[in-house]
């Protein structure tokens, strides 16, 4: 099931619900997410626009999201900050962009939301719109190997699933090869629970 209804429902409260995590955890990670990113950029799953302050200067940025209500919040943030970004309501699995449209793609916790059956189609689409030699940066959660941390995450999991339609352990990298992508780097940015996957289209 696609999650636009979930996010249309929580859009008004999303930034409030996320505020402790945004200030205590996510902000520094967003800076790292955009390291080395330039040119034509796609922000896939733009949400309410939390990435806006971190966009590289001079880049042409397009943001997409399936939720019209989340995009309405993003437009408000864009207008307030003066961020040069084009926003579109669009399904990441069926994007309207031509092949090789972007030099780089970023997704911030998008793949945590996508169900298992949607992971591969979404990755194939990111591959299609990313130019050869371009990079795709995927920020997502992982289930901790630390026993206490893992226990706490499992306690939180039902609420996260209900409120956000998300899961801590999508393990997106298992779909990369089938999507025609190769893993350049995988590194944890926050303990062992938030990881950054840097991937690129295969050249052969």
């Amino acid at each position: 099931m696609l999650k636009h209804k979930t996010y249309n429902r929580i859009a008004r409260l999303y930034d409030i619900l996320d505020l402790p995590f945004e200030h205590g955890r996510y902000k520094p990670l967003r800076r790292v997410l955009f390291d080395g990113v330039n040119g034509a950029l796609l922000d896939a799953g733009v949400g309410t626009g939390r990435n806006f302050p971190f966009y590289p200067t001079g880049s042409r940025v397009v943001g997409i999201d399936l939720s019209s209500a989340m995009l309405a919040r993003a437009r408000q943030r864009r207008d307030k900050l003066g961020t040069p970004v084009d926003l579109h309501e669009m399904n990441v699995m069926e994007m309207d962009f031509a092949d090789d449209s972007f030099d780089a793609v970023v997704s911030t916790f998008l793949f945590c939301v996508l169900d298992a059956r949607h992971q591969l189609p979404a990755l194939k689409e990111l591959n299609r719109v990313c130019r050869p030699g371009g990079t795709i940066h995927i920020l997502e959660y992982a289930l901790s190997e630390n026993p206490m941390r893992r226990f706490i995450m499992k306690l939180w999991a039902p609420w996260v699933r209900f409120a956000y339609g998300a899961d801590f352990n999508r393990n997106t990298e298992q779909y990369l090869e089938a999507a025609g992508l190769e893993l350049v780097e995988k590194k944890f940015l926050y303990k062992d629970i938030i990881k950054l996957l840097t991937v690129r289209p295969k050249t052969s």
Side-chain angles (χ1 to χ4, degrees), residues 10-194:
I10 68 168
R12 289 183 298 111
L13 300 173
Y14 183 86
D15 287 336
I16 296 172
L17 290 171
D18 233 32
L19 194 63
F21 299 99
E22 183 63 33
H23 289 283
R25 184 176 299 181
Y26 298 154
K27 268 191 174 182
L29 310 190
R30 296 186 195 277
R31 297 184 191 280
V32 177
L33 180 66
F34 289 95
D35 280 353
V37 172
N38 53 58
L41 170 64
L42 173 64
D43 191 344
V46 69
T48 63
R50 284 292 195 182
N51 282 334
F52 289 175
F54 306 96
Y55 287 163
T57 303
S59 289
R60 179 180 66 82
V61 188
V62 177
I64 67 167
D65 204 279
L66 194 62
S67 166
S68 58
M70 295 288 278
L71 282 172
R73 307 288 292 186
R75 291 188 180 101
Q76 291 175 6
R77 178 168 274 123
R78 176 188 63 185
D79 296 343
K80 180 179 179 180
L81 298 178
T83 306
V85 54
D86 294 324
L87 297 171
H88 301 276
E89 186 176 338
M90 198 178 297
N91 185 346
V92 70
M93 295 183 290
E94 298 174 352
M95 292 186 284
D96 295 335
F97 307 119
D99 295 357
D100 306 334
S101 291
F102 299 98
D103 298 301
V105 179
V106 299
S107 77
T108 312
F109 306 124
L110 168 65
F111 283 88
C112 298
V113 175
L114 295 177
D115 292 336
R117 68 184 184 277
H118 296 145
Q119 297 264 326
L120 182 56
L123 287 169
K124 285 182 174 179
E125 272 293 270
L126 296 190
N127 185 3
R128 182 183 67 79
V129 302
C130 186
R131 292 170 183 160
T135 57
I136 301 170
H137 291 180
I138 299 170
L139 192 66
E140 69 172 6
Y141 270 88
L143 196 59
S144 176
E145 295 298 325
N146 177 280
M148 181 56 68
R149 205 175 291 145
R150 190 181 186 92
F151 175 74
I152 293 170
M153 292 179 78
K154 286 189 173 183
L155 285 180
W156 272 89
W159 158 251
V160 170
R161 198 171 295 116
F162 168 76
Y164 300 100
D167 194 282
F168 286 129
N169 197 33
R170 294 297 190 194
N171 194 22
T172 298
E173 53 264 47
Q174 68 182 305
Y175 306 102
L176 294 176
E177 184 174 357
L181 296 165
E182 61 179 344
L183 181 64
V184 177
E185 183 180 28
K186 171 185 172 180
K187 62 180 177 181
F188 283 95
L189 301 185
Y190 181 82
K191 300 181 179 178
D192 67 338
I193 63 174
I194 300 180

